[in-house]
């Protein structure tokens, strides 16, 4: 009976279809098997909503509906929207407003909105948010989605809408006097979406395509739900891989018997530690050589966290693979577990890595994987001479990335018996290098393809499934597909490091003269990224105020919890949270104006960053000084936009159940890893004067393909549509370190700019021949033409045809590499307005405003999307998100029903203002924007809570229980 199939007849997108479905099969599985790939898998319990389709016109979660129960029904998927190549107004509006980032949630969001507009052509903003509320999005702050639905509704009502764009303003000399467009003051307290505001200094050189709100070049296919993600592919003969994970947080595998699983019909391979060579590695996708320790093997005889790898299976169907996992008999010797990093460091704690073949653990007996120490100046002397000393301890939680597309990988052998790895990764080139020794193939026999990615946020800067999937393909010689369940994302992927952050600060005459930071980083069961995340935390946490005497001591500690790894913010957000709250506390205690206290201390243009040489990223860094910053302007603009000072005055006289608070934090980040990150780009001219841009850079939904194409178009005098981007495929695109460390705009952009300049030289050189001009520097390249001083011109298409077929024949093409000795910090001011319910402890955030200096803004819509998305993730980090475990290491909330990430209806007003600078080392003056956006929300909300209640909250997340008990403690004190 288990495999019995029945026919159901459905009207799908107005066409009658008969599908053969299993008795218990969900509509989601049936639709995807029938190639409706716009319907996505995102969770196991119907919480995420990315599988939403319309069933008889109503949105339903197709994973919760059995296919046999809807026989005769009418189904609409995203493939059914739009007619004759024309997009539905919702699809166009989602594209234009920047509501599509990775696009994984887009089909479900558009269908949910369609159901609303079919019933209600003129919905209120709250009704729109409610309609989107059932579909989680982790990339955006839902701001542009709400705007998209409003615009589409207006168009469907027959109203005229103007093209969607940002707002521009010139930066006046007296910044404090700036008059912003009225909407940005939010005097009505609403949360309607505002377009981003870009404020530009007069001296900034103008550009043609840069700075324009170009629609993301991949938006159309994402708006149509085209099969562009890793899993939207079915290969003939493909097997389904599955991973058996540990139920114990710490155990030795005495024996494992897979004979019953292997005997199950339909099973093609079962692999355990007995079947795979023991090759040590570190799973973090980082540059060669990755930092020690190499403390993992593909499959081990010891497990160190619930969810650790035990065995893998490949079978004809996912159901058979699951059944096979159940038949594997594992004899565990359960060992004591430790989940608290401070306890893990004590004498007598369970030793998590007692294996003899891991090198590079600092103190395995005390589970200390790294001990970091760095110092400049004379900290003790400066403390002794300080007028005041202050101390503060802050705690930040283990947060899950929750990209809506899970880890997924398909491996197969091509016609030359080379292994192809099609995978949802941020680091295709690192994956190729890292996987080779694990599977015993040389790099030349491996090709890694990165299709569109449904979000990553650092969790896909990691070797997670690729080695396992490849082992199964090599064992079976068949294509194999592996995908994590949502539970496995929580138990078996990576997360943010939980940190304990202890600062000591010396202040003399209003200046921070010395600071020490002791940091404990909980790296979980394995150490990948442990060194670098915590080093970055120390560097940023001690450089924002850059005292000349600074000391960083850090212990990175193993615990029996799922490994931590890379997550947007990468240590910097944790440590900047600590320093920002402590700076507020100091100003409060000394009776200083907090903004002016911070202003007189923050890092300024021309200052050397004192710890930049000692604290590189996993290795020695380089001396760096800051060359551009608009932090002061960002703060001043934000103070005006929020009416900060007068609200703070008003809040002093509050005495009610609901208390209002406003807070502010300043933050900095980096742009790539100085002296290490390298990217390359290739540009090639086609017969019609268009160009292929081949890049190894990895667009995760951020819009990096678009902004890199804008850079090429800017140099080449062409519209964006003339640049055809291909990214990334290790066989066809040049090396790029991948998408992490906020490096793509700055480093990959540098490579694109160089390649485009080289192409420009070649074009002018050829045009010189065609126009019979002696000096190519007299020629101008613009509007798809080269123009001579006398007005004669040749088009790029003519140059292409001439260079390929007629005169001095050659291919106009160039490859350029780029790296930078610097990592210029973007800076930002984050503002938060909240209401605290003093009875329940619940915090309602009413407005988040970030004013950002990210250098030149290449695309205001995609950049604002990054900031909104970062603030949304930070909001979860601040208020609700924390991976919890019991004392034995069992996860308590490994699903999206219990682990709460922000939904559309819960979002505050989210506003973004850019104050541009012209970073001398950046391509066209650009720095980075991806990570700084996440850094400031937590300290700004801490500041707002104190403004509202007078209480300092030092442990995240600020759950109602924590806030309530802090308020009660304060009352009793
Ligand atoms: Fe919504 Fe990525 S755009 S999950």
């Amino acid at each position: 009976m288990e495999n019995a199939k029945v026919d159901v007849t459905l009207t799908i997108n107005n066409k009658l279809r008969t599908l053969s479905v299993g008795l218990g099969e969900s509509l989601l599985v049936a639709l995807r098997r029938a190639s409706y790939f716009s319907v996505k898998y995102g969770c196991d319990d119907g919480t995420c909503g990315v599988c939403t389709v319309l069933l008889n016109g109503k949105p339903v979660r197709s994973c919760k509906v059995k296919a046999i129960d809807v026989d005769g029904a009418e189904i609409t998927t995203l493939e059914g929207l739009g007619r004759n190549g024309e997009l539905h107004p919702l699809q166009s509006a989602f594209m234009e407003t920047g509501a599509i980032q990775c696009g994984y949630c887009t089909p479900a969001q558009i269908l949910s909105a369609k159901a609303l507009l079919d019933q209600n052509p003129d919905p209120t903003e709250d009704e729109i948010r409610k309609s989107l509320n059932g579909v989680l999005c982790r990339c955006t702050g839902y701001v542009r989605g709400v705007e998209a639905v409003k615009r589409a509704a207006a168009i469907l009502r027959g109203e005229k809408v103007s093209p969607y764009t940002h707002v521009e303003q010139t930066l006046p000399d007296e910044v404090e006097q700036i008059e912003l467009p009225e909407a940005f003051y939010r005097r009505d307290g609403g949360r309607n979406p505002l377009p981003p505001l870009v404020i530009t200094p007069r001296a900034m050189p103008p550009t043609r395509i840069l700075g324009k709100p170009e629609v993301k070049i991949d938006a159309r296919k994402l708006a149509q739900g085209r099969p562009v993600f890793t899993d939207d592919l079915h290969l003939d003969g493909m097997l389904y891989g599955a991973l058996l994970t540990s139920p114990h947080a710490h155990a030795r595998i005495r024996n494992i018997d897979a004979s019953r699983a292997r005997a199950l019909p339909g099973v093609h391979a079962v692999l355990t530690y007995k079947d795979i060579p023991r090759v040590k590695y570190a799973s973090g996708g980082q540059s060669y050589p990755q930092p020690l320790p190499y403390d993992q093997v593909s499959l081990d005889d010891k497990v160190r966290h619930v969810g650790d790898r035990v065995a893998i299976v490949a079978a004809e169907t996912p159901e058979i693979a699951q059944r096979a996992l159940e038949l594997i008999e594992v004899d565990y010797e359960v060992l004591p577990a430790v989940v608290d990093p401070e306890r893990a460091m004590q004498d007598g704690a369970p030793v998590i890595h007692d294996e003899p073949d891991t090198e590079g653990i600092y103190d395995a007996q005390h589970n200390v994987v790294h001990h970091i120490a760095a110092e400049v100046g004379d900290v003790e002397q400066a403390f002794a001479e300080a007028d005041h000393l202050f101390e503060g301890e802050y705690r930040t939680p283990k947060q899950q990335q929750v990209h809506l597309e899970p880890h997924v990988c398909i491996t197969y052998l091509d016609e030359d018996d080379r292994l192809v790895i099609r995978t949802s990764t941020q680091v295709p080139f690192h994956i190729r290098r890292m996987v080779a020794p694990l599977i015993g193939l040389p790099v030349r026999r491996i090709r890694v393809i990165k299709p569109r990615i449904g979000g990553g946020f650092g969790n896909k800067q990691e070797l997670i499934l690729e080695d396992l999937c490849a082992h199964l393909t090599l064992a079976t010689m068949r294509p194999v597909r592996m995908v994590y369940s949502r539970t496995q994302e929580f138990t078996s992927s990576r997360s943010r490091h939980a940190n304990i952050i202890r600062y000591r600060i010396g202040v003399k005459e209003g200046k921070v003269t010395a600071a020490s930071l002791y940091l404990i980083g909980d790296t979980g069961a394995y150490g990948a990224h442990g060194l670098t995340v915590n080093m970055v935390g120390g560097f940023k946490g001690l450089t924002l105020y850059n005292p000349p005497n600074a000391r960083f001591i850090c212990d990175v500690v193993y615990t029996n919890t799922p490994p931590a790894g890379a997550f947007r913010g990468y240590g910097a957000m944790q440590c900047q949270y600590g320093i920002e709250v402590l700076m507020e506390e100091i100003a409060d205690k000394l009776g200083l104006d907090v903004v002016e206290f911070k202003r007189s201390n923050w890092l300024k243009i021309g200052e050397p960053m004192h710890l930049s040489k000692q604290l590189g990223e996993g290795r020695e860094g380089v001396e760096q000084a800051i060359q551009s910053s608009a932090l002061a302007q960002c703060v001043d603009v934000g103070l005006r936009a929020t009416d900060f000072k007068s609200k703070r005055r008003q809040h002093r006289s509050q005495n009610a159940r609901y208390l209002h608070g406003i807070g502010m934090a300043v933050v900095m980040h980096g742009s790539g890893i100085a002296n290490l990150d390298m990217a390359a780009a290739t540009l090639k001219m086609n017969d019609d004067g268009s160009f292929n841009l081949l890049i190894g850079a990895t667009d995760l939904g951020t819009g990096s393909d678009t902004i890199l194409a804008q850079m090429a178009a800017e140099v080449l005098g062409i519209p964006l549509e003339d640049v055809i981007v291909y990214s990334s495929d290790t066989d066809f695109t040049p090396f790029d370190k991948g998408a992490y460390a906020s490096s793509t705009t700055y480093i990959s952009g540098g490579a694109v700019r160089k390649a485009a300049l080289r192409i420009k030289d070649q074009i002018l050189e050829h045009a010189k021949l065609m126009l019979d001009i002696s000096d190519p520097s007299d020629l101008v390249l613009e509007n798809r033409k080269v123009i001579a001083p006398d007005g004669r011109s040749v088009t790029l298409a003519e140059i292409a045809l001439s260079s390929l077929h007629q005169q001095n024949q050659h291919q106009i093409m160039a490859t350029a590499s780029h790296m930078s000795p610097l990592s210029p910090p973007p800076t930002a001011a984050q503002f938060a307005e909240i209401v605290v319910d003093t009875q329940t402890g619940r915090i309602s955030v009413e407005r988040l405003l970030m004013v950002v200096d990210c250098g030149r803004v290449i695309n205001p819509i995609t950049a604002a999307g990054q900031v909104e998305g970062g603030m949304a993730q930070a909001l979860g980090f601040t208020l609700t998100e924390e991976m919890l475990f019991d004392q034995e290491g069992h996860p308590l909330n490994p699903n999206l029903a219990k682990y709460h990430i922000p939904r559309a209806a819960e979002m505050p007003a989210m506003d973004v203002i850019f104050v541009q600078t012209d970073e001398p080392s950046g391509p066209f003056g650009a720095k980075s924007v991806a990570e700084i956006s996440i850094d400031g929300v937590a300290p700004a909300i801490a500041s707002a809570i104190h403004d509202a209640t007078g209480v300092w909250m030092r442990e995240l997340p600020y759950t109602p229980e924590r806030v309530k008990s802090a308020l009660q403690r304060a009352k009793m004190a």
Side-chain angles (χ1 to χ4, degrees):
M1 277 302 281
E2 214 174 76
N3 298 325
K5 297 263 183 192
V6 292
D7 284 352
V8 293
T9 303
L10 302 166
T11 305
I12 306 176
N13 303 331
N14 296 319
K15 289 200 182 99
L16 212 57
R17 291 279 313 260
T18 299
L19 307 182
S20 176
V21 302
L23 294 182
E25 191 167 285
S26 69
L27 185 58
L28 163 66
V29 171
L31 287 171
R32 284 191 63 82
R33 206 180 45 242
S35 298
Y36 296 98
F37 287 117
S38 72
V39 191
K40 301 296 184 203
Y41 164 79
C43 72
D44 311 313
D45 55 11
T47 314
C48 78
V50 298
C51 64
T52 297
V53 297
L54 301 187
L55 173 66
N56 299 326
K58 296 230 161 25
V60 296
R61 286 151 195 212
S62 60
C63 73
K64 300 295 278 182
V65 175
K66 275 192 195 167
I68 54 165
D69 291 344
V70 293
D71 194 15
E74 206 165 291
I75 307 287
T76 307
T77 70
L78 191 65
E79 287 90 343
L81 261 64
R83 291 279 173 275
N84 307 322
E86 291 285 306
L87 298 179
H88 186 280
L90 273 165
Q91 292 171 302
S92 305
F94 265 67
M95 289 170 57
E96 286 161 17
T97 58
I100 302 173
Q101 287 195 27
C102 80
Y104 200 75
C105 69
T106 302
Q109 287 210 336
I110 290 179
L111 290 173
S112 301
K114 181 176 185 302
L116 170 72
L117 299 188
D118 286 348
Q119 295 295 314
N120 179 357
D122 194 4
T124 63
E125 181 171 324
D126 282 351
E127 287 166 336
I128 294 171
R129 287 183 185 272
K130 207 167 151 203
S131 79
L132 299 178
N133 207 44
V135 183
L136 288 174
C137 175
R138 191 58 154 172
C139 300
T140 73
Y142 304 97
V143 180
R144 311 281 144 218
V146 173
E147 178 65 31
V149 180
K150 281 185 173 177
R151 282 173 73 81
I155 292 164
L156 287 165
R157 290 194 303 270
E159 294 168 19
K160 262 207 145 13
V161 296
S162 33
Y164 189 73
T165 188
H166 59 294
V167 181
E168 291 183 0
Q169 193 168 5
T170 303
L171 186 69
D173 296 335
E174 300 295 322
V175 186
E176 322 76 67
Q177 301 306 322
I178 192 167
E179 281 306 325
L180 303 171
E182 182 58 27
F184 285 85
Y185 293 106
R186 290 232 178 245
R187 296 190 219 269
D188 62 357
R191 57 174 176 166
N192 57 307
L194 299 180
L197 170 63
V198 180
I199 302 175
T200 308
R202 274 182 235 286
M204 197 109 172
T207 48
R208 196 178 47 83
I209 285 201
L210 304 182
K212 300 285 176 298
E214 298 280 357
V215 170
K216 250 160 58 92
I217 57 175
D218 55 350
R220 188 178 176 93
K221 61 190 170 201
L222 295 169
Q224 292 173 301
R226 293 271 167 84
V228 294
F229 293 93
T230 300
D231 204 25
D232 299 344
L233 170 80
H234 188 90
L235 295 169
D236 282 347
M238 190 165 80
L239 300 174
Y240 294 84
L243 170 66
L244 181 68
T245 59
S246 169
H248 306 293
H250 199 191
R252 213 171 294 286
I253 298 176
R254 284 198 201 99
N255 192 25
I256 187 162
D257 180 358
S259 55
R260 289 176 65 218
R262 288 191 176 111
L264 187 70
V267 170
H268 288 257
V270 181
L271 302 177
T272 73
Y273 70 90
K274 297 178 184 177
D275 308 298
I276 291 180
R278 188 176 172 86
V279 183
K280 304 291 301 202
Y281 73 101
S283 62
Q286 297 180 295
S287 289
Y288 173 84
Q290 293 149 269
L292 292 173
Y294 292 2
D295 55 6
Q296 289 177 257
V297 293
S298 282
L299 293 170
D300 206 348
D301 58 359
K302 189 179 181 195
V303 288
R304 299 175 180 86
H305 64 96
V306 172
D308 206 353
R309 298 163 161 202
V310 175
I312 46 175
V313 163
E316 294 285 345
T317 67
E319 294 75 23
I320 297 172
Q322 284 305 318
R323 178 79 190 110
L325 294 186
E326 290 161 19
L327 295 175
I328 298 172
E329 291 168 29
V330 189
D331 178 11
Y332 292 104
E333 176 197 350
V334 178
L335 303 169
V338 59
V339 297
D340 176 339
E342 289 183 288
R343 209 174 77 66
M345 286 191 283
Q346 289 169 6
D347 289 344
V351 178
I352 297 170
H353 282 273
D354 53 356
E355 68 278 4
D357 56 357
T358 294
E359 288 173 23
I361 298 176
Y362 175 75
D363 178 359
Q365 286 306 306
H366 294 91
N367 296 307
V368 178
V369 55
H370 299 292
H371 179 79
I372 308 165
E375 183 161 346
V376 288
D378 188 335
V379 174
E380 289 309 320
Q381 177 76 18
F383 280 152
E385 291 171 1
D387 300 335
H388 308 277
L389 289 178
F390 298 92
E391 290 182 350
E393 178 179 304
Y394 306 89
R395 288 175 184 246
T396 60
K398 189 174 179 77
Q399 184 187 22
Q400 227 287 316
Q401 289 87 344
V402 194
H403 35 81
L404 269 298
E405 180 203 36
H407 285 88
V408 54
C409 180
I410 294 173
T411 50
Y412 55 95
L413 294 166
D414 70 8
E415 57 278 18
D416 295 317
D417 279 340
R418 293 174 74 232
L419 180 78
V420 182
I421 304 177
R422 177 180 162 97
T423 182
S424 181
T425 182
Q426 296 175 221
V427 284
F429 285 88
H430 292 338
I431 290 292
R432 182 177 64 167
R433 188 190 77 244
M434 289 161 61
V435 85
L438 303 187
I439 58 174
L441 287 181
V443 164
R444 67 179 172 276
R445 285 194 55 203
I446 302 170
R447 172 183 173 193
V448 178
I449 300 171
K450 175 220 71 89
R452 301 323 296 166
I453 302 297
F457 317 118
N459 204 9
K460 293 176 181 171
Q461 191 200 337
E462 198 86 14
L463 187 80
I464 294 274
L465 280 175
E466 291 86 355
D467 59 324
L468 298 178
C469 212
H471 279 304
L472 288 171
T473 282
L474 295 177
T476 61
M477 305 301 277
R478 297 261 296 257
V480 176
R481 170 251 200 194
M482 291 188 83
V483 58
Y484 263 177
S485 66
R486 183 55 60 186
T487 302
Q488 285 175 322
E489 286 297 340
F490 280 95
T491 60
S492 312
S493 71
R494 302 293 180 262
S495 59
R496 187 182 302 290
H497 290 71
N499 283 110
I500 300 170
I501 303 154
R502 293 181 187 136
Y503 275 106
R504 189 162 203 240
I505 285 187
V507 178
K508 190 176 167 70
E509 293 163 9
K511 285 278 186 196
V512 174
T513 50
S516 69
L517 167 59
Y518 175 58
L519 183 68
I520 298 174
D522 179 354
T523 190
Y526 299 102
H529 292 281
L531 177 66
T532 45
V533 162
N534 292 288
M535 254 180 157
V536 169
F539 175 54
K540 298 290 188 319
L542 288 167
T543 302
L544 182 58
Y545 294 103
N546 206 33
N549 306 289
R551 177 192 299 141
F552 178 55
I553 307 286
C554 174
D555 288 309
V556 184
V557 183
Y558 288 127
T559 58
N560 290 115
T561 59
F567 191 164
R568 189 183 205 170
Y570 209 76
M573 79 180 294
Q574 293 98 309
C575 292
Q576 290 188 89
Y577 160 70
I579 190 84
E580 276 301 90
V581 181
L582 184 53
M583 287 294 282
E584 290 257 342
E585 293 189 37
I586 293 171
D588 186 47
K589 283 188 184 131
L590 295 180
L592 300 173
D593 178 304
V594 65
V595 176
E596 297 316 313
F597 176 56
K598 288 183 180 180
R599 192 192 300 275
S600 70
N601 281 289
W602 68 49
L603 182 69
K604 298 185 180 62
I605 294 175
E607 276 184 39
M609 296 188 264
H610 298 304
L611 279 165
S612 64
K613 187 154 172 65
Q614 292 197 41
L615 293 176
E617 201 162 317
R619 59 189 82 193
E620 192 183 6
V622 286
E623 303 282 7
Q624 293 188 61
I626 185 163
Q627 300 190 74
S628 67
S629 171
L631 182 54
Q633 292 87 340
C634 291
V635 169
D636 290 334
V637 166
L639 291 175
R640 277 187 78 77
T642 56
D643 203 8
F644 184 88
K645 291 190 175 169
S646 84
K647 281 182 183 155
R648 280 231 153 156
R649 275 195 299 276
Q650 287 164 24
H651 295 164
R652 283 189 209 135
S653 54
Q654 297 180 98
N655 185 14
R657 171 176 170 178
Y658 296 98
L659 298 176
H660 291 257
I662 185 165
M664 189 275 282
V666 296
V667 286
M668 61 175 277
H669 213 91
S671 305
I673 306 172
N675 242 3
L676 177 66
D677 280 348
M678 192 281 276
T682 297
L683 267 163
K684 174 171 76 68
M685 194 179 201
N686 297 316
D687 304 51
D688 62 350
S690 67
F691 296 84
N692 294 110
L693 173 60
L694 308 176
I695 40 176
T698 308
D699 188 339
L700 308 178
T702 55
S704 64
D705 281 358
T706 306
I707 61 112
L708 295 176
Q710 281 181 263
M711 290 184 186
E714 179 75 29
V715 175
L716 296 172
I718 54 176
L720 186 61
E721 71 205 48
D722 288 3
V723 184
I724 307 145
V725 178
Y726 183 59
S727 74
S728 15
D729 178 330
T730 54
D731 267 14
F732 297 111
T733 57
F735 176 84
D736 189 296
K737 77 284 156 227
Y740 58 90
S742 287
S743 63
T744 304
T745 306
Y746 183 71
I747 298 289
S748 308
V752 169
R753 180 176 167 274
K754 278 185 187 168
L757 286 170
R758 286 178 194 174
I759 289 270
K760 181 179 174 181
D761 286 347
Q762 293 177 39
I763 289 170
L764 296 184
E765 197 59 39
H766 200 82
K768 183 184 86 168
L769 283 182
M770 293 173 75
L771 291 165
D772 200 16
I773 298 273
S774 55
D775 186 354
S777 65
D778 291 339
L779 298 169
V780 174
L781 175 60
E782 64 182 26
N783 292 332
R784 294 174 165 152
K785 281 189 248 184
V786 176
I787 305 162
D790 60 7
R792 287 177 305 133
S793 67
V794 282
T795 66
L796 289 184
E798 288 165 340
I799 292 170
L801 289 170
S802 167
S803 64
L804 290 169
H805 304 283
Q806 294 168 321
Q807 229 179 334
N808 185 25
Q809 286 94 323
H810 67 292
Q811 170 70 62
I812 292 181
M813 69 181 295
T815 296
S817 303
H818 185 68
M819 64 173 295
S820 173
L822 303 172
S823 173
T827 55
Q830 176 73 58
F831 294 81
E833 294 185 57
I834 65 164
V835 178
V836 183
D837 180 341
T838 53
Q839 279 189 17
T840 63
R842 187 168 175 274
I843 292 170
S844 308
V845 179
E846 302 203 313
R847 185 186 189 191
L848 292 175
L849 163 68
M850 193 171 221
V851 192
V852 189
D853 152 29
C854 57
R856 183 185 289 281
V857 179
I858 306 296
N859 183 321
I861 301 297
T862 59
Q866 287 298 293
V867 179
E868 290 153 5
M871 287 195 289
Q873 290 176 3
L875 189 63
F877 175 73
T878 307
L879 297 184
T880 59
E881 294 184 40
E882 181 172 26
M883 294 170 70
L884 297 168
F885 301 87
D886 68 16
Q887 285 310 302
E888 281 74 48
H890 298 109
L892 299 176
N893 55 352
N895 55 61
L896 292 174
K898 290 185 177 158
Y899 184 94
H900 186 91
I901 70 168
R903 288 184 179 275
E906 302 165 329
M907 299 309 288
M910 298 182 90
D911 301 328
V912 181
I913 300 176
F914 295 105
V915 180
Q916 298 201 90
T917 52
D918 196 358
E919 165 59 35
S921 70
F924 310 98
K927 295 189 274 191
S928 75
V929 73
E931 288 185 276
I932 190 162
S933 57
I934 204 168
D935 290 340
V937 170
I941 290 181
S943 154
I945 293 173
H946 182 262
D947 181 47
T949 67
V951 170
W952 292 115
M953 296 284 300
R954 301 187 180 95
E955 182 169 7
L956 294 169
Y958 298 145
T959 58
E961 300 73 31
R962 258 188 204 138
V963 174
K964 196 174 160 185
S965 69
L967 294 178
Q968 282 166 351
R969 277 199 308 274
K971 222 175 185 176
M972 281 161 20

